Amino acid sequence: MFALPPSPLSAVHLPIFVEKRLQVWMKRDDLLHPEISGNKWRKMKYNLIEARQQGFTRLITFGGAYSNHLYATAAAGKVFGFQTLGIVRGDELHSESSKTLAFCAACGMELHFVSRTAYRDKPQVLTAIQQENPVWQEAYFVPEGGSNALAIKGVMELTAEIYTELQPDFICTAVGTGGTLAGLWAGAAAPTQVLGFLALKGALGLQDEVAKLLQNTGIQPQASMALRPDFCGKGYGKYDQELIDFIHFFEQNNPAIRLEQVYTGKMMQGIASLAAQDFFPEQSTIVAIHTGGLQGRVHLVNCE
Ligand SMILES: Cc1ncc(COP(=O)(O)O)c(C=O)c1O
């Protein structure tokens, strides 16, 4: 069932897409690896190669108790033979506080819990931990969310894969730290438009973040890009009955595709809403990226 890149493109079926004469596809990066799935695979690939080439045997990163990135880094450490340290937001937490953290610990990730205040100053937290544990001074650092220039290089391969199969009018992704969006934007060519559906509030900050990430690569995007802050609901990780009902409906219409409530569910809900508002011209071809994250899927009432 799981596949190495190129990941498949699956047709997405919803009545609104038929009504509005839209061709919608899902780029199934969720099928890339059971644990290092979706955008995590793309973002990690060149970072792991770089870490290995520089002779590192340890990886350090940051994340919250439900972080898909922490989860994937722990799995990558286990699969590719790196020791991993996860610096976790919240000193009230422990390794059993969430399924994500329990998985990370089971993969062998060393978890270091820091207060939410201290977490804001990551360089300082990192230095303090490295001074206390000198073994971690020789480690490859992956930023929170895994978004850096090498991550963008990996995500650009995803865009290239899409273009070998079709020329979409729109490429859509969920947005957290902005790395996936930056990579898709860097890899897209006009007339494709790239749409980023925010999973958290704060579009202005993200615009800057994406620009900064791209600056580090020296790439000037050729396509147009827009952030959609209007489908994040009440904010990061928060979901309501309408979203649950939408995911339920989506999965009934697309039994081979699972969504989750933090990223891909909100993105697909956003695409369906925009379709209903006639945002997409008739006959548009839209590719939505399945960025994975299914480990964080909650048991959705009425949805299983
Ligand atoms: C499943 C999933 N989709 C989308 C995103 C957003 O990716 P990015 O942080 O590159 O914006 C993330 C992580 O942040 C994620 O875990």
Side-chain angles (χ1 to χ4, degrees):
M1 184 191 154
F2 289 97
L4 285 173
S7 61
L9 273 169
S10 305
V12 175
H13 306 286
L14 284 181
I16 190 69
F17 297 153
V18 178
E19 185 191 321
K20 302 291 181 182
R21 297 176 188 275
L22 301 172
Q23 316 238 345
V24 184
W25 299 87
M26 187 157 254
K27 179 71 172 156
R28 300 297 305 280
D29 272 16
D30 56 315
L31 298 180
L32 287 180
H33 188 276
E35 290 158 351
I36 315 163
S37 90
N39 59 348
K40 301 301 173 272
W41 177 279
R42 306 286 182 176
K43 293 207 277 189
M44 235 174 243
K45 175 179 167 183
Y46 287 106
N47 276 294
L48 294 178
I49 291 171
E50 183 67 15
R52 177 92 6 114
Q53 277 175 355
Q54 288 186 23
F56 288 109
T57 57
R58 296 185 181 87
L59 306 175
I60 300 183
T61 197
F62 285 83
Y66 302 94
S67 163
N68 292 323
H69 165 68
L70 214 56
Y71 183 98
T73 306
K78 185 184 65 177
V79 172
F80 298 110
F82 290 94
Q83 279 183 275
T84 53
L85 170 66
I87 303 172
V88 184
R89 182 178 60 239
D91 54 358
E92 76 285 8
L93 302 174
H94 51 81
S95 61
E96 296 301 317
S97 296
S98 70
K99 278 205 299 197
T100 304
L101 293 176
F103 172 86
C104 292
C107 286
M109 180 177 256
E110 196 174 312
L111 296 171
H112 199 107
F113 298 91
V114 299
S115 75
R116 284 154 207 277
T117 316
Y119 190 85
R120 287 193 205 118
D121 190 348
K122 294 185 182 64
Q124 195 182 332
V125 166
L126 186 56
T127 307
I129 291 173
Q130 286 175 323
Q131 275 169 359
E132 252 176 61
N133 310 278
V135 71
W136 289 107
Q137 277 167 12
E138 292 292 319
Y140 184 85
F141 176 70
V142 185
E144 185 174 36
S147 293
N148 58 12
L150 289 175
I152 288 176
K153 184 176 171 187
V155 177
M156 286 175 74
E157 292 183 347
L158 157 57
T159 328
E161 279 176 26
I162 296 171
Y163 282 123
T164 61
E165 295 204 50
L166 42 86
Q167 302 290 316
D169 299 297
F170 296 90
I171 296 179
C172 301
T173 185
V175 179
T177 57
T180 307
L181 177 68
L184 292 170
W185 193 19
T192 303
Q193 294 181 42
V194 181
L195 296 181
F197 291 81
L198 266 65
L200 68 171
K201 296 187 179 195
L204 274 182
L206 259 161
Q207 193 89 40
D208 292 350
E209 208 46 53
V210 170
K212 222 187 299 166
L213 280 164
L214 280 175
Q215 238 170 31
N216 293 339
T217 65
I219 296 167
Q220 290 283 346
Q222 302 301 310
S224 67
M225 185 280 278
L227 284 172
R228 300 297 315 206
D230 34 352
F231 300 103
C232 68
K234 290 213 166 67
Y236 184 72
K238 301 199 171 119
Y239 56 95
D240 54 18
Q241 193 58 42
E242 202 182 321
L243 177 62
I244 290 174
D245 291 346
F246 173 79
I247 294 175
H248 186 201
F249 182 68
F250 179 95
E251 293 180 354
Q252 277 174 343
N253 282 273
N254 301 275
I257 307 178
R258 285 281 167 273
L259 300 178
E260 45 66 59
Q261 73 288 349
V262 183
Y263 294 101
T264 49
K266 286 182 177 174
M267 169 190 66
M268 282 314 308
Q269 192 184 29
I271 294 172
S273 298
L274 289 178
Q277 295 164 26
D278 293 319
F279 171 86
F280 301 110
E282 241 184 47
Q283 308 290 357
S284 292
T285 301
I286 300 163
V287 174
I289 312 297
H290 199 311
T291 43
L294 291 170
Q295 68 92 17
R297 174 184 157 96
V298 292
H299 176 80
L300 300 171
V301 182
N302 299 328
C303 204
E304 304 281 1

